[in-house]
Amino acid sequence: DTEVTQTPKHLVMGMTNKKSLKCEQHMGHRAMYWYKQKAKKPPELMFVYSYEKLSINESVPSRFSPECPNSSLLNLHLHALQPEDSALYLCASSPDRGETQYFGPGTRLLVL
Amino acid sequence: AQTVTQSQPEMSVQEAETVTLSCTYDTSESNYYLFWYKQPPSRQMILVIRQEAYKQQNATENRFSVNFQKAAKSFSLKISDSQLGDTAMYFCAFMPLNFGNEKLTFGTGTRLTIIP
């Protein structure tokens, strides 16, 4: 089973809203990732968690706040986003860092 | 820093034909993985195939195979007997096996359309 799930599938929010994206995997993977993908572009890495600790933050603005409550779950808290933050947000996991990453279906975010 | 180049922004091929997607990369690392991912219109990123740099044998997965030329830093994907479901954006990706720097670098993608 190589399934990573993400909720919600779609999200529309205003610039003053607070929302959260959720990612879950039950493969026993110890590394989890958030990517942002704009239309017709490749994914861009945002954050890497390894053994539930943040190991990479690619200079992402503080209006994006990741959280890893346990080894199966990864959240991305959103606050005061800008319209340019509208994108597909992909979550991925891998058995450990440096191993093959498996992606979830993504959350399409629209910021109005 | 690593770079991945996909020089074919778009390709199309008739159903059942064979198509080859090109990818070149630049790195000073000696130990790394290379991947092909496909992203159909549904937008889910799906792993197609993986190649370990230390392996001389080219990876194959059913109708998908790669031509890995390490000295030339080339990693092409061949899709045989193409099917309508192969229509997708294909991304080549590189990951160094360098502790603390195992980040996936993607190329810009090739949009492949299979014509019925």
Side-chain angles (χ1 to χ4, degrees):
Chain A
D1 183 10
T2 54
E3 189 178 20
V4 177
T5 60
Q6 290 187 244
T7 53
K9 285 193 170 77
H10 302 274
L11 180 62
V12 180
M13 61 186 289
M15 289 189 283
T16 59
N17 292 159
K18 284 185 182 181
K19 296 285 185 185
S20 296
L21 309 185
K22 178 180 169 183
C23 173
E24 200 160 7
Q25 57 86 15
H26 295 287
M27 297 177 278
H29 289 179
R30 302 316 299 266
M32 296 185 77
Y33 311 78
W34 280 115
Y35 288 85
K36 173 182 178 181
Q37 186 179 24
K38 301 285 274 186
K40 299 184 181 179
K41 297 289 188 183
E44 297 173 4
L45 182 66
M46 300 174 73
F47 302 104
V48 180
Y49 271 81
S50 178
Y51 291 82
E52 299 157 53
K53 287 186 172 26
L54 183 64
S55 56
I56 294 178
N57 176 341
E58 291 286 283
S59 302
V60 178
S62 60
R63 57 186 185 268
F64 295 92
S65 175
E67 179 199 17
C68 189
N70 59 58
S71 60
S72 300
L73 191 55
L74 184 66
N75 298 319
L76 186 62
H77 303 297
L78 314 173
H79 173 55
L81 293 194
Q82 304 297 309
E84 59 265 29
D85 296 321
S86 298
L88 180 70
Y89 288 84
L90 293 165
C91 175
S93 72
S94 63
D96 204 336
R97 287 183 63 177
E99 299 192 50
T100 301
Q101 294 181 29
Y102 297 92
F103 286 80
T107 293
R108 285 181 186 264
L109 174 67
L110 178 61
V111 182
L112 299 175
Chain B
Q2 284 71 228
T3 58
V4 179
T5 302
Q6 293 180 251
S7 58
Q8 305 151 313
E10 294 191 22
M11 295 184 74
S12 60
V13 67
Q14 292 290 136
E15 192 177 4
E17 290 187 350
T18 294
V19 60
T20 299
L21 279 58
S22 302
C23 174
T24 58
Y25 59 95
D26 190 24
T27 184
S28 56
E29 302 283 348
S30 57
N31 201 10
Y32 50 87
Y33 288 157
L34 292 161
F35 303 89
W36 280 98
Y37 283 91
K38 69 181 271 191
Q39 190 173 38
S42 65
R43 305 302 300 274
Q44 172 129 27
M45 191 76 77
I46 301 164
L47 175 70
V48 175
I49 201 163
R50 181 181 92 170
Q51 176 77 44
E52 293 89 340
Y54 65 85
K55 288 188 178 177
Q56 292 188 335
Q57 187 172 6
N58 289 324
T60 62
E61 285 288 344
N62 301 314
R63 297 182 296 107
F64 298 88
S65 61
V66 299
N67 184 3
F68 173 49
Q69 302 289 327
K70 190 172 184 179
K73 293 181 182 169
S74 169
F75 182 61
S76 61
L77 174 70
K78 185 170 86 170
I79 305 174
S80 303
D81 185 26
S82 56
Q83 300 175 359
L84 296 179
D86 296 333
T87 291
M89 179 73 93
Y90 285 79
F91 290 101
C92 179
F94 171 97
M95 182 170 67
L97 297 180
N98 179 351
F99 183 75
N101 190 31
E102 308 96 334
K103 291 193 281 189
L104 204 52
T105 299
F106 289 91
T108 50
T110 296
R111 183 171 300 282
L112 176 66
T113 301
I114 308 300
I115 303 165

